[in-house]
Amino acid sequence: MAELVFFSGTMDCGKSTLALQMDYNHSARGRGGILFSRNDRAGESMISSRLGLRTPAVEVSDSTDFWNEVTDRRRAGRTVDYLICDEAQFYSANQVEQLARVVDELCVDVFAFGITSDFRTRLFPGSQRLIELADRMEVLQVRALCWCGRRATHNARTVDGVMVVEGDQVVVGDVGKHAPAAGTPGAAEAVTEEPLFGADAVAAVPVVGYETLCRRHYMRRVTAHKAQTIAEGATGAAADLDVCAVHPRCP
């Protein structure tokens, strides 16, 4: 029987890599599929992995109707056995319902990949509806890591290097390599004031970035950049990298 499966996790946990591997495995067995994505880091109409893998995909817009996408291709004689839906958190609740209908009435497997919550720890509408309707959810086993080495559980947004918890839910930004933990080799050179988009970015334009943090450092708003600042400012004793950046007196 066809299934609607939601593969979830934080950034950096390999969702897009698994999406491409899933497509490879099914197509290698003669199954026909369609790949979808929205707001991919590599640009429009693409699914890309941070490992360097990429493949063309159908770009999802507000007007995309998944029922029509499948039925139109079948009328044209194409075999459609499964859908790969990357960046599914950006889909609307109505589009997720369309995916559920495709599974139930057309017997097409749907494999959706996405993060569950935004930088404010609020569920994305698409992810929320997937949680409500999916036949099953699978949390990816590749653990993203916080700069401190703990398991990363939250996605953080930074503006000009400072973590923020307010703003529009969807803002395109850079996901750069995290700085090494303070005190480790390379830490001093890792965090700079260079804009995440490169030296040619206009300084007057706020630079938006994202990184993954453990809950402790998300709640305390200690990003890799903040941790490096604390470490560089420490004199004598080792830096207290668990200090709360918002309320310094908190334990």
Side-chain angles (χ1 to χ4, degrees):
M1 295 180 63
E3 284 188 303
L4 172 57
V5 187
F6 181 33
F7 297 88
S8 67
T10 62
M11 298 182 302
D12 297 340
C13 70
K15 296 181 298 300
S16 296
T17 301
L18 180 58
L20 295 176
Q21 181 68 51
M22 186 80 74
D23 174 57
Y24 173 82
N25 288 350
H26 283 262
S27 63
R29 293 297 176 265
R31 305 191 79 205
I34 312 173
L35 282 69
F36 294 95
S37 187
R38 183 167 191 174
N39 298 336
D40 187 89
R41 67 183 68 84
E44 195 170 299
S45 303
M46 189 71 62
I47 294 179
S48 67
S49 163
R50 291 188 179 88
L51 297 180
L53 306 172
R54 62 175 60 192
T55 192
V58 177
E59 183 73 13
V60 176
S61 67
D62 292 341
S63 61
T64 297
D65 186 309
F66 289 103
W67 178 270
N68 291 339
E69 292 284 342
V70 174
T71 55
D72 287 350
R73 284 169 174 75
R74 284 188 167 180
R75 291 193 192 99
R78 286 187 55 184
T79 300
V80 181
D81 300 308
Y82 65 92
L83 305 183
I84 300 292
C85 298
D86 200 24
E87 306 293 356
Q89 71 272 11
F90 297 134
Y91 301 0
S92 69
N94 183 58
Q95 287 172 327
V96 173
E97 292 172 10
Q98 294 167 11
L99 292 173
R101 184 186 176 201
V102 165
V103 172
D104 294 338
E105 301 185 28
L106 299 179
C107 294
V108 172
D109 285 311
V110 173
F111 306 110
F113 301 80
I115 58 179
T116 52
S117 58
D118 62 18
F119 72 104
R120 304 166 301 180
T121 70
R122 303 292 192 269
L123 290 175
F124 283 98
S127 299
Q128 178 177 336
R129 199 67 181 124
L130 278 164
I131 292 171
E132 295 165 345
L133 294 180
D135 294 298
R136 58 188 171 93
M137 282 185 58
E138 295 195 12
V139 178
L140 272 66
Q141 297 304 305
V142 177
R143 293 187 173 187
L145 298 178
C146 177
W147 58 264
C148 69
R150 296 187 182 100
R151 178 186 179 186
T153 54
H154 292 71
N155 304 303
R157 177 187 293 174
T158 60
V159 177
D160 291 336
V162 178
M163 180 176 159
V164 295
V165 293
E166 296 181 353
D168 294 338
Q169 187 172 55
V170 180
V171 175
V172 176
D174 183 66
V175 184
K177 291 187 177 180
H178 301 169
T184 61
E189 304 85 36
V191 179
T192 71
E193 297 302 325
E194 289 294 324
L196 291 174
F197 286 124
D200 294 332
V202 179
V205 178
V207 177
V208 178
Y210 293 91
E211 67 176 279
T212 54
L213 299 174
C214 64
R215 184 179 64 235
R216 180 183 184 89
H217 288 124
Y218 177 88
M219 298 296 288
R220 296 180 176 218
R221 302 190 190 180
V222 181
T223 63
H225 185 278
K226 183 65 178 180
Q228 185 62 32
T229 301
I230 294 172
E232 290 174 349
T235 57
D240 179 9
L241 296 180
D242 280 331
V243 66
C244 178
V246 181
H247 304 291
R249 294 185 179 181
C250 71

